[in-house]
Amino acid sequence: MRPLRETDYETVCAVARVLDPDTLWTAAGLREADRTRPRELNSGGFLAEVKGQAAGFVRYTQYADLHQPDKVVLFGGVLPEFRGAGVGGELLRGLEQHLPTARVNKMQTQVSEADPATLGFLTKRGFAETWRRLEYRLDARRADASG
């Protein structure tokens, strides 16, 4: 595991697309968000590799409108073929070691209830559900707007 670098935007987006094919992330979009984020807001992340291949990542960021200077929001995950091999735990340990130096002591993330493995992973490590959001998706190619 290592800190994310400028050259990792494409890799992060490729992994994110496997984890969520509907992701809107692009390398250019992430790069621009990082470039324009106010310096006083913490952000960064880690990339996990197995034998030179990306296995997973985690990005963390603070948002000015959250009004919680000690909290970061996490995004990321581990590719299916690397799950259960300790990659997620390694990424989380890296965060736990790094974030106190950034004056952060709260982490928030989102996970679908349709992903019981990730729910179990997070619960086992002390994350607790704080709210639920209903997500609706529409495939416009199959939608019937007639009535």
mmCIF file with all atom_site columns, all heavy atoms in Angstrom, residues 42-46 60-62 70-74 92-107:
data_model
loop_
_atom_site.group_PDB
_atom_site.id
_atom_site.type_symbol
_atom_site.label_atom_id
_atom_site.label_alt_id
_atom_site.label_comp_id
_atom_site.label_asym_id
_atom_site.label_entity_id
_atom_site.label_seq_id
_atom_site.pdbx_PDB_ins_code
_atom_site.Cartn_x
_atom_site.Cartn_y
_atom_site.Cartn_z
_atom_site.occupancy
_atom_site.B_iso_or_equiv
_atom_site.pdbx_formal_charge
_atom_site.auth_seq_id
_atom_site.auth_comp_id
_atom_site.auth_asym_id
_atom_site.auth_atom_id
_atom_site.pdbx_PDB_model_num
ATOM 1   N N   . ASN A 1 42  ? -8.541  18.536 4.324  1.00 0.00 ? 42  ASN A N   1
ATOM 2   C CA  . ASN A 1 42  ? -7.737  17.331 4.142  1.00 0.00 ? 42  ASN A CA  1
ATOM 3   C C   . ASN A 1 42  ? -8.285  16.488 3.005  1.00 0.00 ? 42  ASN A C   1
ATOM 4   O O   . ASN A 1 42  ? -9.496  16.311 2.872  1.00 0.00 ? 42  ASN A O   1
ATOM 5   C CB  . ASN A 1 42  ? -7.755  16.487 5.424  1.00 0.00 ? 42  ASN A CB  1
ATOM 6   C CG  . ASN A 1 42  ? -6.928  17.084 6.510  1.00 0.00 ? 42  ASN A CG  1
ATOM 7   O OD1 . ASN A 1 42  ? -5.743  17.302 6.329  1.00 0.00 ? 42  ASN A OD1 1
ATOM 8   N ND2 . ASN A 1 42  ? -7.549  17.365 7.651  1.00 0.00 ? 42  ASN A ND2 1
ATOM 9   N N   . SER A 1 43  ? -7.388  15.949 2.210  1.00 0.00 ? 43  SER A N   1
ATOM 10  C CA  . SER A 1 43  ? -7.771  14.988 1.185  1.00 0.00 ? 43  SER A CA  1
ATOM 11  C C   . SER A 1 43  ? -6.530  14.185 0.809  1.00 0.00 ? 43  SER A C   1
ATOM 12  O O   . SER A 1 43  ? -5.406  14.612 1.029  1.00 0.00 ? 43  SER A O   1
ATOM 13  C CB  . SER A 1 43  ? -8.357  15.675 -0.051 1.00 0.00 ? 43  SER A CB  1
ATOM 14  O OG  . SER A 1 43  ? -7.346  16.395 -0.723 1.00 0.00 ? 43  SER A OG  1
ATOM 15  N N   . GLY A 1 44  ? -6.773  13.023 0.265  1.00 0.00 ? 44  GLY A N   1
ATOM 16  C CA  . GLY A 1 44  ? -5.676  12.158 -0.151 1.00 0.00 ? 44  GLY A CA  1
ATOM 17  C C   . GLY A 1 44  ? -6.187  10.744 -0.285 1.00 0.00 ? 44  GLY A C   1
ATOM 18  O O   . GLY A 1 44  ? -7.379  10.519 -0.463 1.00 0.00 ? 44  GLY A O   1
ATOM 19  N N   . GLY A 1 45  ? -5.299  9.799  -0.176 1.00 0.00 ? 45  GLY A N   1
ATOM 20  C CA  . GLY A 1 45  ? -5.725  8.419  -0.267 1.00 0.00 ? 45  GLY A CA  1
ATOM 21  C C   . GLY A 1 45  ? -4.574  7.462  -0.426 1.00 0.00 ? 45  GLY A C   1
ATOM 22  O O   . GLY A 1 45  ? -3.399  7.857  -0.406 1.00 0.00 ? 45  GLY A O   1
ATOM 23  N N   . PHE A 1 46  ? -4.938  6.206  -0.585 1.00 0.00 ? 46  PHE A N   1
ATOM 24  C CA  . PHE A 1 46  ? -3.962  5.130  -0.685 1.00 0.00 ? 46  PHE A CA  1
ATOM 25  C C   . PHE A 1 46  ? -4.388  4.162  -1.773 1.00 0.00 ? 46  PHE A C   1
ATOM 26  O O   . PHE A 1 46  ? -5.574  3.959  -2.015 1.00 0.00 ? 46  PHE A O   1
ATOM 27  C CB  . PHE A 1 46  ? -3.842  4.393  0.646  1.00 0.00 ? 46  PHE A CB  1
ATOM 28  C CG  . PHE A 1 46  ? -3.323  5.250  1.753  1.00 0.00 ? 46  PHE A CG  1
ATOM 29  C CD1 . PHE A 1 46  ? -4.184  5.942  2.584  1.00 0.00 ? 46  PHE A CD1 1
ATOM 30  C CD2 . PHE A 1 46  ? -1.960  5.393  1.944  1.00 0.00 ? 46  PHE A CD2 1
ATOM 31  C CE1 . PHE A 1 46  ? -3.708  6.751  3.597  1.00 0.00 ? 46  PHE A CE1 1
ATOM 32  C CE2 . PHE A 1 46  ? -1.463  6.205  2.951  1.00 0.00 ? 46  PHE A CE2 1
ATOM 33  C CZ  . PHE A 1 46  ? -2.345  6.889  3.776  1.00 0.00 ? 46  PHE A CZ  1
ATOM 34  N N   . TYR A 1 60  ? -9.917  9.906  0.703  1.00 0.00 ? 60  TYR A N   1
ATOM 35  C CA  . TYR A 1 60  ? -10.622 10.610 1.773  1.00 0.00 ? 60  TYR A CA  1
ATOM 36  C C   . TYR A 1 60  ? -10.618 12.092 1.451  1.00 0.00 ? 60  TYR A C   1
ATOM 37  O O   . TYR A 1 60  ? -9.716  12.608 0.798  1.00 0.00 ? 60  TYR A O   1
ATOM 38  C CB  . TYR A 1 60  ? -9.963  10.351 3.140  1.00 0.00 ? 60  TYR A CB  1
ATOM 39  C CG  . TYR A 1 60  ? -8.560  10.868 3.267  1.00 0.00 ? 60  TYR A CG  1
ATOM 40  C CD1 . TYR A 1 60  ? -8.317  12.165 3.710  1.00 0.00 ? 60  TYR A CD1 1
ATOM 41  C CD2 . TYR A 1 60  ? -7.479  10.067 2.934  1.00 0.00 ? 60  TYR A CD2 1
ATOM 42  C CE1 . TYR A 1 60  ? -7.019  12.650 3.812  1.00 0.00 ? 60  TYR A CE1 1
ATOM 43  C CE2 . TYR A 1 60  ? -6.184  10.540 3.043  1.00 0.00 ? 60  TYR A CE2 1
ATOM 44  C CZ  . TYR A 1 60  ? -5.961  11.826 3.483  1.00 0.00 ? 60  TYR A CZ  1
ATOM 45  O OH  . TYR A 1 60  ? -4.684  12.312 3.576  1.00 0.00 ? 60  TYR A OH  1
ATOM 46  N N   . THR A 1 61  ? -11.672 12.743 1.877  1.00 0.00 ? 61  THR A N   1
ATOM 47  C CA  . THR A 1 61  ? -11.756 14.182 1.649  1.00 0.00 ? 61  THR A CA  1
ATOM 48  C C   . THR A 1 61  ? -12.635 14.827 2.704  1.00 0.00 ? 61  THR A C   1
ATOM 49  O O   . THR A 1 61  ? -13.471 14.159 3.317  1.00 0.00 ? 61  THR A O   1
ATOM 50  C CB  . THR A 1 61  ? -12.289 14.495 0.233  1.00 0.00 ? 61  THR A CB  1
ATOM 51  O OG1 . THR A 1 61  ? -12.081 15.867 -0.055 1.00 0.00 ? 61  THR A OG1 1
ATOM 52  C CG2 . THR A 1 61  ? -13.753 14.154 0.087  1.00 0.00 ? 61  THR A CG2 1
ATOM 53  N N   . GLN A 1 62  ? -12.394 16.087 2.918  1.00 0.00 ? 62  GLN A N   1
ATOM 54  C CA  . GLN A 1 62  ? -13.252 16.901 3.767  1.00 0.00 ? 62  GLN A CA  1
ATOM 55  C C   . GLN A 1 62  ? -14.023 17.861 2.873  1.00 0.00 ? 62  GLN A C   1
ATOM 56  O O   . GLN A 1 62  ? -13.530 18.266 1.820  1.00 0.00 ? 62  GLN A O   1
ATOM 57  C CB  . GLN A 1 62  ? -12.433 17.715 4.761  1.00 0.00 ? 62  GLN A CB  1
ATOM 58  C CG  . GLN A 1 62  ? -11.845 16.875 5.868  1.00 0.00 ? 62  GLN A CG  1
ATOM 59  C CD  . GLN A 1 62  ? -11.043 17.725 6.826  1.00 0.00 ? 62  GLN A CD  1
ATOM 60  O OE1 . GLN A 1 62  ? -10.142 18.442 6.405  1.00 0.00 ? 62  GLN A OE1 1
ATOM 61  N NE2 . GLN A 1 62  ? -11.365 17.637 8.099  1.00 0.00 ? 62  GLN A NE2 1
ATOM 62  N N   . ASP A 1 70  ? -13.087 17.706 11.924 1.00 0.00 ? 70  ASP A N   1
ATOM 63  C CA  . ASP A 1 70  ? -12.382 16.482 12.308 1.00 0.00 ? 70  ASP A CA  1
ATOM 64  C C   . ASP A 1 70  ? -12.923 15.251 11.584 1.00 0.00 ? 70  ASP A C   1
ATOM 65  O O   . ASP A 1 70  ? -12.635 14.128 11.965 1.00 0.00 ? 70  ASP A O   1
ATOM 66  C CB  . ASP A 1 70  ? -12.472 16.280 13.814 1.00 0.00 ? 70  ASP A CB  1
ATOM 67  C CG  . ASP A 1 70  ? -13.889 16.078 14.316 1.00 0.00 ? 70  ASP A CG  1
ATOM 68  O OD1 . ASP A 1 70  ? -14.843 16.485 13.603 1.00 0.00 ? 70  ASP A OD1 1
ATOM 69  O OD2 . ASP A 1 70  ? -14.058 15.526 15.411 1.00 0.00 ? 70  ASP A OD2 1
ATOM 70  N N   . LYS A 1 71  ? -13.685 15.451 10.515 1.00 0.00 ? 71  LYS A N   1
ATOM 71  C CA  . LYS A 1 71  ? -14.348 14.341 9.822  1.00 0.00 ? 71  LYS A CA  1
ATOM 72  C C   . LYS A 1 71  ? -13.946 14.305 8.353  1.00 0.00 ? 71  LYS A C   1
ATOM 73  O O   . LYS A 1 71  ? -13.837 15.337 7.698  1.00 0.00 ? 71  LYS A O   1
ATOM 74  C CB  . LYS A 1 71  ? -15.861 14.521 9.924  1.00 0.00 ? 71  LYS A CB  1
ATOM 75  C CG  . LYS A 1 71  ? -16.687 13.467 9.231  1.00 0.00 ? 71  LYS A CG  1
ATOM 76  C CD  . LYS A 1 71  ? -18.151 13.803 9.443  1.00 0.00 ? 71  LYS A CD  1
ATOM 77  C CE  . LYS A 1 71  ? -19.069 12.798 8.848  1.00 0.00 ? 71  LYS A CE  1
ATOM 78  N NZ  . LYS A 1 71  ? -20.464 13.134 9.135  1.00 0.00 ? 71  LYS A NZ  1
ATOM 79  N N   . VAL A 1 72  ? -13.736 13.096 7.825  1.00 0.00 ? 72  VAL A N   1
ATOM 80  C CA  . VAL A 1 72  ? -13.506 12.903 6.397  1.00 0.00 ? 72  VAL A CA  1
ATOM 81  C C   . VAL A 1 72  ? -14.532 11.917 5.851  1.00 0.00 ? 72  VAL A C   1
ATOM 82  O O   . VAL A 1 72  ? -15.066 11.087 6.575  1.00 0.00 ? 72  VAL A O   1
ATOM 83  C CB  . VAL A 1 72  ? -12.080 12.383 6.070  1.00 0.00 ? 72  VAL A CB  1
ATOM 84  C CG1 . VAL A 1 72  ? -11.027 13.422 6.377  1.00 0.00 ? 72  VAL A CG1 1
ATOM 85  C CG2 . VAL A 1 72  ? -11.793 11.080 6.763  1.00 0.00 ? 72  VAL A CG2 1
ATOM 86  N N   . VAL A 1 73  ? -14.779 12.036 4.558  1.00 0.00 ? 73  VAL A N   1
ATOM 87  C CA  . VAL A 1 73  ? -15.651 11.114 3.849  1.00 0.00 ? 73  VAL A CA  1
ATOM 88  C C   . VAL A 1 73  ? -14.758 10.202 3.018  1.00 0.00 ? 73  VAL A C   1
ATOM 89  O O   . VAL A 1 73  ? -13.835 10.669 2.349  1.00 0.00 ? 73  VAL A O   1
ATOM 90  C CB  . VAL A 1 73  ? -16.652 11.875 2.955  1.00 0.00 ? 73  VAL A CB  1
ATOM 91  C CG1 . VAL A 1 73  ? -17.533 10.908 2.184  1.00 0.00 ? 73  VAL A CG1 1
ATOM 92  C CG2 . VAL A 1 73  ? -17.500 12.820 3.802  1.00 0.00 ? 73  VAL A CG2 1
ATOM 93  N N   . LEU A 1 74  ? -15.022 8.901  3.093  1.00 0.00 ? 74  LEU A N   1
ATOM 94  C CA  . LEU A 1 74  ? -14.214 7.902  2.395  1.00 0.00 ? 74  LEU A CA  1
ATOM 95  C C   . LEU A 1 74  ? -14.928 7.393  1.148  1.00 0.00 ? 74  LEU A C   1
ATOM 96  O O   . LEU A 1 74  ? -16.147 7.215  1.155  1.00 0.00 ? 74  LEU A O   1
ATOM 97  C CB  . LEU A 1 74  ? -13.961 6.692  3.295  1.00 0.00 ? 74  LEU A CB  1
ATOM 98  C CG  . LEU A 1 74  ? -13.372 6.942  4.678  1.00 0.00 ? 74  LEU A CG  1
ATOM 99  C CD1 . LEU A 1 74  ? -13.228 5.623  5.415  1.00 0.00 ? 74  LEU A CD1 1
ATOM 100 C CD2 . LEU A 1 74  ? -12.060 7.661  4.576  1.00 0.00 ? 74  LEU A CD2 1
ATOM 101 N N   . LEU A 1 92  ? -7.508  0.398  5.355  1.00 0.00 ? 92  LEU A N   1
ATOM 102 C CA  . LEU A 1 92  ? -8.089  1.048  6.530  1.00 0.00 ? 92  LEU A CA  1
ATOM 103 C C   . LEU A 1 92  ? -7.027  1.329  7.598  1.00 0.00 ? 92  LEU A C   1
ATOM 104 O O   . LEU A 1 92  ? -7.020  2.401  8.212  1.00 0.00 ? 92  LEU A O   1
ATOM 105 C CB  . LEU A 1 92  ? -9.221  0.189  7.101  1.00 0.00 ? 92  LEU A CB  1
ATOM 106 C CG  . LEU A 1 92  ? -10.143 0.870  8.088  1.00 0.00 ? 92  LEU A CG  1
ATOM 107 C CD1 . LEU A 1 92  ? -10.757 2.134  7.500  1.00 0.00 ? 92  LEU A CD1 1
ATOM 108 C CD2 . LEU A 1 92  ? -11.231 -0.086 8.525  1.00 0.00 ? 92  LEU A CD2 1
ATOM 109 N N   . ARG A 1 93  ? -6.103  0.404  7.800  1.00 0.00 ? 93  ARG A N   1
ATOM 110 C CA  . ARG A 1 93  ? -5.006  0.649  8.761  1.00 0.00 ? 93  ARG A CA  1
ATOM 111 C C   . ARG A 1 93  ? -4.144  1.826  8.322  1.00 0.00 ? 93  ARG A C   1
ATOM 112 O O   . ARG A 1 93  ? -3.720  2.640  9.142  1.00 0.00 ? 93  ARG A O   1
ATOM 113 C CB  . ARG A 1 93  ? -4.156  -0.611 8.926  1.00 0.00 ? 93  ARG A CB  1
ATOM 114 C CG  . ARG A 1 93  ? -4.744  -1.614 9.901  1.00 0.00 ? 93  ARG A CG  1
ATOM 115 C CD  . ARG A 1 93  ? -3.792  -2.750 10.220 1.00 0.00 ? 93  ARG A CD  1
ATOM 116 N NE  . ARG A 1 93  ? -3.417  -3.531 9.034  1.00 0.00 ? 93  ARG A NE  1
ATOM 117 C CZ  . ARG A 1 93  ? -4.186  -4.477 8.482  1.00 0.00 ? 93  ARG A CZ  1
ATOM 118 N NH1 . ARG A 1 93  ? -5.358  -4.758 9.005  1.00 0.00 ? 93  ARG A NH1 1
ATOM 119 N NH2 . ARG A 1 93  ? -3.766  -5.145 7.427  1.00 0.00 ? 93  ARG A NH2 1
ATOM 120 N N   . GLY A 1 94  ? -3.893  1.924  7.031  1.00 0.00 ? 94  GLY A N   1
ATOM 121 C CA  . GLY A 1 94  ? -3.136  3.067  6.522  1.00 0.00 ? 94  GLY A CA  1
ATOM 122 C C   . GLY A 1 94  ? -3.834  4.374  6.835  1.00 0.00 ? 94  GLY A C   1
ATOM 123 O O   . GLY A 1 94  ? -3.201  5.345  7.265  1.00 0.00 ? 94  GLY A O   1
ATOM 124 N N   . LEU A 1 95  ? -5.138  4.398  6.640  1.00 0.00 ? 95  LEU A N   1
ATOM 125 C CA  . LEU A 1 95  ? -5.909  5.599  6.979  1.00 0.00 ? 95  LEU A CA  1
ATOM 126 C C   . LEU A 1 95  ? -5.834  5.899  8.467  1.00 0.00 ? 95  LEU A C   1
ATOM 127 O O   . LEU A 1 95  ? -5.621  7.040  8.875  1.00 0.00 ? 95  LEU A O   1
ATOM 128 C CB  . LEU A 1 95  ? -7.380  5.412  6.595  1.00 0.00 ? 95  LEU A CB  1
ATOM 129 C CG  . LEU A 1 95  ? -7.767  5.674  5.172  1.00 0.00 ? 95  LEU A CG  1
ATOM 130 C CD1 . LEU A 1 95  ? -9.213  5.289  4.951  1.00 0.00 ? 95  LEU A CD1 1
ATOM 131 C CD2 . LEU A 1 95  ? -7.554  7.128  4.818  1.00 0.00 ? 95  LEU A CD2 1
ATOM 132 N N   . GLU A 1 96  ? -6.046  4.876  9.279  1.00 0.00 ? 96  GLU A N   1
ATOM 133 C CA  . GLU A 1 96  ? -6.048  5.078  10.732 1.00 0.00 ? 96  GLU A CA  1
ATOM 134 C C   . GLU A 1 96  ? -4.707  5.602  11.227 1.00 0.00 ? 96  GLU A C   1
ATOM 135 O O   . GLU A 1 96  ? -4.652  6.384  12.172 1.00 0.00 ? 96  GLU A O   1
ATOM 136 C CB  . GLU A 1 96  ? -6.425  3.779  11.440 1.00 0.00 ? 96  GLU A CB  1
ATOM 137 C CG  . GLU A 1 96  ? -7.879  3.404  11.229 1.00 0.00 ? 96  GLU A CG  1
ATOM 138 C CD  . GLU A 1 96  ? -8.212  2.006  11.713 1.00 0.00 ? 96  GLU A CD  1
ATOM 139 O OE1 . GLU A 1 96  ? -7.293  1.187  11.917 1.00 0.00 ? 96  GLU A OE1 1
ATOM 140 O OE2 . GLU A 1 96  ? -9.418  1.727  11.853 1.00 0.00 ? 96  GLU A OE2 1
ATOM 141 N N   . GLN A 1 97  ? -3.627  5.206  10.599 1.00 0.00 ? 97  GLN A N   1
ATOM 142 C CA  . GLN A 1 97  ? -2.303  5.694  10.996 1.00 0.00 ? 97  GLN A CA  1
ATOM 143 C C   . GLN A 1 97  ? -2.061  7.115  10.502 1.00 0.00 ? 97  GLN A C   1
ATOM 144 O O   . GLN A 1 97  ? -1.401  7.896  11.163 1.00 0.00 ? 97  GLN A O   1
ATOM 145 C CB  . GLN A 1 97  ? -1.217  4.758  10.467 1.00 0.00 ? 97  GLN A CB  1
ATOM 146 C CG  . GLN A 1 97  ? -1.215  3.411  11.131 1.00 0.00 ? 97  GLN A CG  1
ATOM 147 C CD  . GLN A 1 97  ? -0.310  2.420  10.431 1.00 0.00 ? 97  GLN A CD  1
ATOM 148 O OE1 . GLN A 1 97  ? 0.373   2.740  9.465  1.00 0.00 ? 97  GLN A OE1 1
ATOM 149 N NE2 . GLN A 1 97  ? -0.312  1.186  10.913 1.00 0.00 ? 97  GLN A NE2 1
ATOM 150 N N   . HIS A 1 98  ? -2.604  7.451  9.333  1.00 0.00 ? 98  HIS A N   1
ATOM 151 C CA  . HIS A 1 98  ? -2.345  8.756  8.722  1.00 0.00 ? 98  HIS A CA  1
ATOM 152 C C   . HIS A 1 98  ? -3.261  9.856  9.250  1.00 0.00 ? 98  HIS A C   1
ATOM 153 O O   . HIS A 1 98  ? -2.815  10.986 9.476  1.00 0.00 ? 98  HIS A O   1
ATOM 154 C CB  . HIS A 1 98  ? -2.504  8.652  7.209  1.00 0.00 ? 98  HIS A CB  1
ATOM 155 C CG  . HIS A 1 98  ? -2.476  9.970  6.515  1.00 0.00 ? 98  HIS A CG  1
ATOM 156 N ND1 . HIS A 1 98  ? -1.306  10.683 6.338  1.00 0.00 ? 98  HIS A ND1 1
ATOM 157 C CD2 . HIS A 1 98  ? -3.473  10.728 5.993  1.00 0.00 ? 98  HIS A CD2 1
ATOM 158 C CE1 . HIS A 1 98  ? -1.589  11.819 5.722  1.00 0.00 ? 98  HIS A CE1 1
ATOM 159 N NE2 . HIS A 1 98  ? -2.891  11.864 5.504  1.00 0.00 ? 98  HIS A NE2 1
ATOM 160 N N   . LEU A 1 99  ? -4.531  9.555  9.430  1.00 0.00 ? 99  LEU A N   1
ATOM 161 C CA  . LEU A 1 99  ? -5.505  10.612 9.712  1.00 0.00 ? 99  LEU A CA  1
ATOM 162 C C   . LEU A 1 99  ? -5.283  11.371 11.021 1.00 0.00 ? 99  LEU A C   1
ATOM 163 O O   . LEU A 1 99  ? -5.534  12.575 11.059 1.00 0.00 ? 99  LEU A O   1
ATOM 164 C CB  . LEU A 1 99  ? -6.922  10.067 9.627  1.00 0.00 ? 99  LEU A CB  1
ATOM 165 C CG  . LEU A 1 99  ? -7.355  9.718  8.201  1.00 0.00 ? 99  LEU A CG  1
ATOM 166 C CD1 . LEU A 1 99  ? -8.765  9.152  8.192  1.00 0.00 ? 99  LEU A CD1 1
ATOM 167 C CD2 . LEU A 1 99  ? -7.260  10.911 7.266  1.00 0.00 ? 99  LEU A CD2 1
ATOM 168 N N   . PRO A 1 100 ? -4.814  10.757 12.090 1.00 0.00 ? 100 PRO A N   1
ATOM 169 C CA  . PRO A 1 100 ? -4.570  11.574 13.295 1.00 0.00 ? 100 PRO A CA  1
ATOM 170 C C   . PRO A 1 100 ? -3.571  12.703 13.057 1.00 0.00 ? 100 PRO A C   1
ATOM 171 O O   . PRO A 1 100 ? -3.698  13.773 13.657 1.00 0.00 ? 100 PRO A O   1
ATOM 172 C CB  . PRO A 1 100 ? -4.051  10.563 14.311 1.00 0.00 ? 100 PRO A CB  1
ATOM 173 C CG  . PRO A 1 100 ? -4.639  9.267  13.881 1.00 0.00 ? 100 PRO A CG  1
ATOM 174 C CD  . PRO A 1 100 ? -4.647  9.339  12.372 1.00 0.00 ? 100 PRO A CD  1
ATOM 175 N N   . THR A 1 101 ? -2.628  12.506 12.175 1.00 0.00 ? 101 THR A N   1
ATOM 176 C CA  . THR A 1 101 ? -1.673  13.579 11.895 1.00 0.00 ? 101 THR A CA  1
ATOM 177 C C   . THR A 1 101 ? -2.343  14.702 11.118 1.00 0.00 ? 101 THR A C   1
ATOM 178 O O   . THR A 1 101 ? -1.816  15.810 11.062 1.00 0.00 ? 101 THR A O   1
ATOM 179 C CB  . THR A 1 101 ? -0.458  13.052 11.091 1.00 0.00 ? 101 THR A CB  1
ATOM 180 O OG1 . THR A 1 101 ? -0.904  12.619 9.802  1.00 0.00 ? 101 THR A OG1 1
ATOM 181 C CG2 . THR A 1 101 ? 0.234   11.924 11.822 1.00 0.00 ? 101 THR A CG2 1
ATOM 182 N N   . ALA A 1 102 ? -3.506  14.422 10.539 1.00 0.00 ? 102 ALA A N   1
ATOM 183 C CA  . ALA A 1 102 ? -4.256  15.440 9.809  1.00 0.00 ? 102 ALA A CA  1
ATOM 184 C C   . ALA A 1 102 ? -5.390  16.005 10.681 1.00 0.00 ? 102 ALA A C   1
ATOM 185 O O   . ALA A 1 102 ? -6.302  16.639 10.173 1.00 0.00 ? 102 ALA A O   1
ATOM 186 C CB  . ALA A 1 102 ? -4.824  14.838 8.524  1.00 0.00 ? 102 ALA A CB  1
ATOM 187 N N   . ARG A 1 103 ? -5.346  15.729 11.985 1.00 0.00 ? 103 ARG A N   1
ATOM 188 C CA  . ARG A 1 103 ? -6.353  16.204 12.941 1.00 0.00 ? 103 ARG A CA  1
ATOM 189 C C   . ARG A 1 103 ? -7.755  15.693 12.602 1.00 0.00 ? 103 ARG A C   1
ATOM 190 O O   . ARG A 1 103 ? -8.741  16.406 12.734 1.00 0.00 ? 103 ARG A O   1
ATOM 191 C CB  . ARG A 1 103 ? -6.339  17.729 13.044 1.00 0.00 ? 103 ARG A CB  1
ATOM 192 C CG  . ARG A 1 103 ? -5.020  18.307 13.485 1.00 0.00 ? 103 ARG A CG  1
ATOM 193 C CD  . ARG A 1 103 ? -4.972  19.820 13.420 1.00 0.00 ? 103 ARG A CD  1
ATOM 194 N NE  . ARG A 1 103 ? -5.604  20.452 12.282 1.00 0.00 ? 103 ARG A NE  1
ATOM 195 C CZ  . ARG A 1 103 ? -5.099  20.533 11.047 1.00 0.00 ? 103 ARG A CZ  1
ATOM 196 N NH1 . ARG A 1 103 ? -3.935  20.001 10.788 1.00 0.00 ? 103 ARG A NH1 1
ATOM 197 N NH2 . ARG A 1 103 ? -5.734  21.141 10.079 1.00 0.00 ? 103 ARG A NH2 1
ATOM 198 N N   . VAL A 1 104 ? -7.841  14.456 12.170 1.00 0.00 ? 104 VAL A N   1
ATOM 199 C CA  . VAL A 1 104 ? -9.121  13.840 11.812 1.00 0.00 ? 104 VAL A CA  1
ATOM 200 C C   . VAL A 1 104 ? -9.361  12.654 12.725 1.00 0.00 ? 104 VAL A C   1
ATOM 201 O O   . VAL A 1 104 ? -8.468  11.845 12.944 1.00 0.00 ? 104 VAL A O   1
ATOM 202 C CB  . VAL A 1 104 ? -9.100  13.372 10.334 1.00 0.00 ? 104 VAL A CB  1
ATOM 203 C CG1 . VAL A 1 104 ? -10.319 12.537 10.012 1.00 0.00 ? 104 VAL A CG1 1
ATOM 204 C CG2 . VAL A 1 104 ? -9.004  14.573 9.404  1.00 0.00 ? 104 VAL A CG2 1
ATOM 205 N N   . ASN A 1 105 ? -10.569 12.570 13.280 1.00 0.00 ? 105 ASN A N   1
ATOM 206 C CA  . ASN A 1 105 ? -10.874 11.406 14.112 1.00 0.00 ? 105 ASN A CA  1
ATOM 207 C C   . ASN A 1 105 ? -12.237 10.789 13.806 1.00 0.00 ? 105 ASN A C   1
ATOM 208 O O   . ASN A 1 105 ? -12.696 9.926  14.528 1.00 0.00 ? 105 ASN A O   1
ATOM 209 C CB  . ASN A 1 105 ? -10.749 11.741 15.603 1.00 0.00 ? 105 ASN A CB  1
ATOM 210 C CG  . ASN A 1 105 ? -11.700 12.841 16.025 1.00 0.00 ? 105 ASN A CG  1
ATOM 211 O OD1 . ASN A 1 105 ? -12.772 12.978 15.473 1.00 0.00 ? 105 ASN A OD1 1
ATOM 212 N ND2 . ASN A 1 105 ? -11.310 13.615 17.009 1.00 0.00 ? 105 ASN A ND2 1
ATOM 213 N N   . LYS A 1 106 ? -12.888 11.225 12.728 1.00 0.00 ? 106 LYS A N   1
ATOM 214 C CA  . LYS A 1 106 ? -14.155 10.625 12.310 1.00 0.00 ? 106 LYS A CA  1
ATOM 215 C C   . LYS A 1 106 ? -14.087 10.307 10.828 1.00 0.00 ? 106 LYS A C   1
ATOM 216 O O   . LYS A 1 106 ? -13.605 11.107 10.035 1.00 0.00 ? 106 LYS A O   1
ATOM 217 C CB  . LYS A 1 106 ? -15.318 11.587 12.548 1.00 0.00 ? 106 LYS A CB  1
ATOM 218 C CG  . LYS A 1 106 ? -15.594 11.903 13.989 1.00 0.00 ? 106 LYS A CG  1
ATOM 219 C CD  . LYS A 1 106 ? -16.742 12.886 14.084 1.00 0.00 ? 106 LYS A CD  1
ATOM 220 C CE  . LYS A 1 106 ? -16.872 13.414 15.496 1.00 0.00 ? 106 LYS A CE  1
ATOM 221 N NZ  . LYS A 1 106 ? -17.835 14.530 15.552 1.00 0.00 ? 106 LYS A NZ  1
ATOM 222 N N   . MET A 1 107 ? -14.605 9.117  10.467 1.00 0.00 ? 107 MET A N   1
ATOM 223 C CA  . MET A 1 107 ? -14.667 8.716  9.072  1.00 0.00 ? 107 MET A CA  1
ATOM 224 C C   . MET A 1 107 ? -16.101 8.343  8.732  1.00 0.00 ? 107 MET A C   1
ATOM 225 O O   . MET A 1 107 ? -16.790 7.729  9.546  1.00 0.00 ? 107 MET A O   1
ATOM 226 C CB  . MET A 1 107 ? -13.762 7.517  8.820  1.00 0.00 ? 107 MET A CB  1
ATOM 227 C CG  . MET A 1 107 ? -12.289 7.809  8.969  1.00 0.00 ? 107 MET A CG  1
ATOM 228 S SD  . MET A 1 107 ? -11.259 6.371  8.580  1.00 0.00 ? 107 MET A SD  1
ATOM 229 C CE  . MET A 1 107 ? -11.155 5.587  10.181 1.00 0.00 ? 107 MET A CE  1
#
